[in-house]
Amino acid sequence: MFATKGLSKSFGRLTALLNVSFEVEEGEIFGIAGPNGAGKSTLFNVITGIYPPSSGRIFFRGKDITNYKPDQICHLGIARTFQIPTTFHTLSVYDNLRVGAIFGARRPQSADEVLELLGLEAVRHRPARNLDLYTTKLVMLGAALATDCKLLMLDEPMAGLSMAEINQFLEIVRRINQEKGVTIIIIEHLLDILISLTKRMLILSDGQVLYLGDSKEVTADRRVVEVYLGGKGGIAHAHR
Amino acid sequence: MLTVRELDCFYSDLQVLRGVSLDVGEGEVVALFGPNGHGKSTLLKAICGLQPPKRGSIRFKGEEIAGLPAHQIVERGLAYIPEERHLFSDMTVLENLYLGAYPRHARPVLKKNLEFVFHIFPRLAERRHQLCSTLSGGEARMVAIGRGLMSETSLLMVDEPSIGLSPGMKMAVFDAIRQIHCERGMTILIVEQEIQHALEMSDRIYLIKKGQIAFERRREEVQVDEIERAYF
Amino acid sequence: MKHVNWKFALAVLVLVFILLYPWLGASSYTKHLFILFFIWSIVAANWNLMMGYAGINSLGNIGFMAIGGYTAGILAKSLGVPPFLTIPIAGIVTSAVVTLALGLPALRLSGIYIALLTLIFADTLPSLLTQTREITGGAMGLHEIPPFYPGMDKTGAYYICFVFFLVVLFIIYRIVHSPTGMAFVALRDSENFAYCLGVNKFRERLKVFALSSLLTGAAGGMYVHALGDISPTTLGIEPFLLTIAMIELGGVGTFLGPILGAAVIVFGNEFLRLAGTLRLTLLGALICTIILFYPGGVIQLFHTIEHRVERLLNRKTPTT
Amino acid sequence: MENLVNALVSGLISGSLYATMALGLTIIYGVSRVFNFGHGVIAVIGAYITWYLLSVFGVPFLPATLLSLAFMASFGWLVYRFTMSPLLKKPNWEFSTVLFMLGAGILLENVVLQVFGPRVKSIPVLVDGALKVGFIQINWHEVALMGIVLVVIAALSLFFKYTRTGQAMRAVAQSIPGAQVVGINIEQIFGLTFALAFTVTGFSGILLGTKYYLNPHVGWEWMVKGFVIVTFGGLGSTSGAVVAALVLGLVEAVATLYFGAIWVWPIWFVLFLIVLLLRPQGILGGRT
């Protein structure tokens, strides 16, 4: 349902993405990982139209959406969250969701549905600035979800959460995927979480595809281990 | 030489560091490991004054420097080489290096330091009149490190020097850092993803996870599984 | 809930007072001041809608008002169009001209460029006016523009402007509390997130730009029919400064701020007349002082007082 | 033909004066990103102080100018230290500094009006007589002005290239974190930048005051021309500002010759609009 073909992005002389191609199936949870500076967030920004790609194409449900603007991409059914917890901090929780519902979905009642789905009724009238990290992340997720998206892109949603919160959050991600049939692309740093959550994943390194395939086999890939733990075969390799 | 105690640091409302304590002794090389987004860079930025801490103490050569503006910290002989490099892109390599010697105490020894920089990075000597915006990633990294050395520093903090570089360039950068330590006896605090390389050159390591020091080890005592577990 | 009620009561009280004022021994002069207050608070409120809510750093709104004023004046004087038509036409013409010539280009630009472009736009108008002396009266301006209705007195003008004032404020209130208003808060809090949730900044801003210039142009029309004349001095530095002062003094980005600011400035400016030539010096100093030391304006002062009073009351309740 | 050539020559002269006018703006913007909406009045103040020293105390031109520039430098530093510095630390500083400087400009304009009165003043010309080459006639005074402008521009570029402070200003303009990392005191450099820019602006006011009549309000017109020039040349670009000033000086002279002075402003506006739409980073500003 979603694919990129030969996507590249450079900023001046810096190449952030080079020839990245992958496909995501309808209803799938697809993982993206890679070390810092590998180009994961840039990939998200290019897909959601914040930066235009330098070359390559992006397809969503058979439609070429390369060079679409972020609001157009949202209206087609792709929503995203950000690595840095971002909400509209002067608006209430409910109004945060309403921004997505009114402008993204053009269907105000979707805000109420999301409020219920994520169990945010209790904090509905609270201003978004006074929330703990976990709830802030839920609100950000909720606003994205309220756009009636078909594809949800999550950028390191678990960073900074406690183990218990991570498990709770994973449960919610699975529910969104199963109950609402939303396809999900998730960037996550902790590989074990990604392995348990996804069937397939993409590993980026220096802006290029290092690994694309079955999540279970990723730790067996020598190059992946190398990238994560440093050159010369990595300490893990040297140790074994 | 550097003593950090109970440091709390915030990124707007988000607490990034929680009671971090760390020591770097004179002449030591200390490496800081930990997964991304867990506070390594923030710690370096807090020490060098770019991201003032909310609570806690940072003592450098016995003086409290927490909360001082960055330029006063540099003047005390502490240099930070940012991961993002922050070069002056419309200036030449040489102009960037000269600006590295901006603190007053660095100017009398400018020549000596410049020679040393060109000694460890001969490539920069060739490109001294080139604009920084036209350099490759590796060369730009060299300028950033060289600029830090120019400030006549006694403690060098290097943030992810190998990030985004080709394998060959990575080796060159690590060699240079090793040289800086061996030939100048510089005290170094390094954040690095290439654990193997960083481990080889360091005396001690710290591992940061979730904004806290998970453990501290001498190089001989490092358990590789321990690090692996923290990352995966 | 209680404090909402007393605020509402206060607002009603003020409105009733304004409604009855002509019968409470108002002089022709004080009625004139109220007319000025009605019109300027509309100009200020619309400017604030652009600047404070939509983040459009316009410095040309006085120019919009002048375009509306001249349009209405010329239509009424030269072509004999009745005022109930000239005012809407003034608004529409202003909005069309300004949105096409200024809004479409300016809103694609960022920050400082909007300020530059709008300021230079307003600066260009006086020379255009002198250039077209035959219809605009050049530096002399237009005089003896027909009033709202033949034989109108100050009380008539007072009530017409008052109704206009209420209608425009109601419209602005609705915009601020509409999805468009929410979009601006969202854009201010996090532009990229709003963008990715489907908010089109350019379109929302253009809407506000068109509407706000329409209402400002209409206010210009009200101005010429209520006061009878307009000249390039309307475009001068003093009205510009006065309006900026109203918004800053009242509180940027708040609904009531510019209205309060307009009240203080319009009535206060009369006292300032005593200061003679020092008046502009004092105004400049006032604006600087507010921006530097009290960026929230009068509204913030009210909020602080309100909080203090509430806290005082809360502290007393348990003890008594 | 004769008229055209003379117009071009006078366009070149006013263009070089506009260039010094634009320099102060672009220096402040380049380093601190503050757009000085009180710029014109600063120039006027510089000119008035010089005029006052010249005509009331009979101080010779050179010391009068130096005294006035010393005042401008300290004034610039004070303005930064006590108004811009706190404002820059608040959110929405971009527009609040604009409004503040606008308010301050009007305040100062009226202070000038109170102190010196509304009557037109003029600073005496530096040299009398005129130079005649064929049908072209240029006053020696104007030749001197062009020479001074050239010297000022050269001196500034040497300052930015070779002095420690000048390099630090460029460094701050290019990367604030980079400047912090090498130990540059940002606050100090910002303050010095304002001092320098006010000095240059005051000087341009003095030069303009020897060619045009001086009144308390003339600064606004100078300032708006400065705005258009720096936008043309690319905000923060010194060389761009100089070239743009010369081009616009010529355009203005030719437009006045063929269409009359009344069309000068609308033409500036249209040019400005075109530049903004085609290249918001300015004709000569390469980078955004």
Side-chain angles (χ1 to χ4, degrees), chain D residues 225-245:
Chain D
K225 285 183 177 167
F227 285 175
V228 180
I229 289 165
V230 294
T231 316
F232 251 78
L235 282 179
S237 156
T238 325
S239 50
V242 172
V243 177

Side-chain angles (χ1 to χ4, degrees), chain A:
Chain A
M1 61 120 48
F2 176 83
T4 69
K5 287 218 168 69
L7 211 56
S8 296
K9 174 72 192 171
S10 44
F11 300 98
R13 283 177 58 103
L14 181 84
T15 307
L17 290 176
L18 188 64
N19 203 17
V20 175
S21 307
F22 67 97
E23 273 179 49
V24 179
E25 305 281 312
E26 184 91 47
E28 183 181 19
I29 302 183
F30 184 83
I32 296 180
N36 234 6
K40 301 174 306 251
S41 289
T42 307
L43 180 63
F44 265 31
N45 285 338
V46 170
I47 292 174
T48 51
I50 290 180
Y51 305 138
S54 306
S55 65
R57 310 224 67 85
I58 307 164
F59 299 93
F60 178 61
R61 297 193 149 176
K63 194 169 178 170
D64 187 342
I65 60 164
T66 322
N67 293 325
Y68 273 43
K69 295 271 175 289
D71 57 316
Q72 295 172 308
I73 285 175
C74 170
H75 291 142
L76 285 173
I78 302 180
R80 69 169 291 184
T81 65
F82 293 82
Q83 191 178 348
I84 296 167
T86 312
T87 55
F88 307 120
H89 56 263
T90 55
L91 292 178
S92 70
V93 167
Y94 183 57
D95 278 346
N96 267 272
L97 306 190
R98 287 217 311 155
V99 173
I102 292 171
F103 289 94
R106 302 196 175 103
R107 198 171 64 85
Q109 62 272 33
S110 89
D112 301 273
E113 295 164 16
V114 171
L115 204 65
E116 202 196 317
L117 180 79
L118 299 184
L120 288 168
E121 289 103 332
V123 291
R124 164 185 191 134
H125 295 297
R126 286 263 287 279
R129 73 160 92 234
N130 301 333
L131 300 173
D132 59 64
L133 182 64
Y134 179 74
T135 320
T136 303
K137 291 196 170 199
L138 272 192
V139 172
M140 172 162 66
L141 176 72
L145 212 52
T147 64
D148 278 350
C149 56
K150 309 287 177 290
L151 173 64
L152 181 61
M153 304 176 44
L154 305 172
D155 192 351
E156 290 204 34
M158 259 80 85
L161 297 184
S162 74
M163 215 51 224
E165 288 168 335
I166 288 179
N167 287 331
Q168 250 175 297
F169 201 91
L170 284 174
E171 201 40 55
I172 288 171
V173 171
R174 288 201 182 92
R175 252 178 54 206
I176 292 169
N177 176 247
Q178 280 153 19
E179 288 174 23
K180 298 202 78 174
V182 174
T183 310
I184 292 171
I185 302 180
I186 180 168
I187 294 179
E188 175 50 55
H189 227 80
L190 302 171
L191 275 182
D192 52 350
I193 290 180
L194 266 197
I195 293 168
S196 74
L197 186 66
T198 66
K199 266 211 189 58
R200 293 190 316 128
M201 68 162 89
L202 165 75
I203 295 195
L204 282 177
S205 171
D206 289 336
Q208 302 183 47
V209 176
L210 183 80
Y211 178 89
L212 175 63
D214 200 303
S215 301
K216 302 283 177 296
E217 287 156 27
V218 67
T219 41
D221 191 289
R222 227 184 59 108
R223 289 172 313 162
V224 172
V225 176
E226 221 169 86
V227 155
Y228 263 74
L229 293 175
K232 293 187 185 170
I235 39 170
H237 183 72
H239 190 64
R240 273 171 195 141

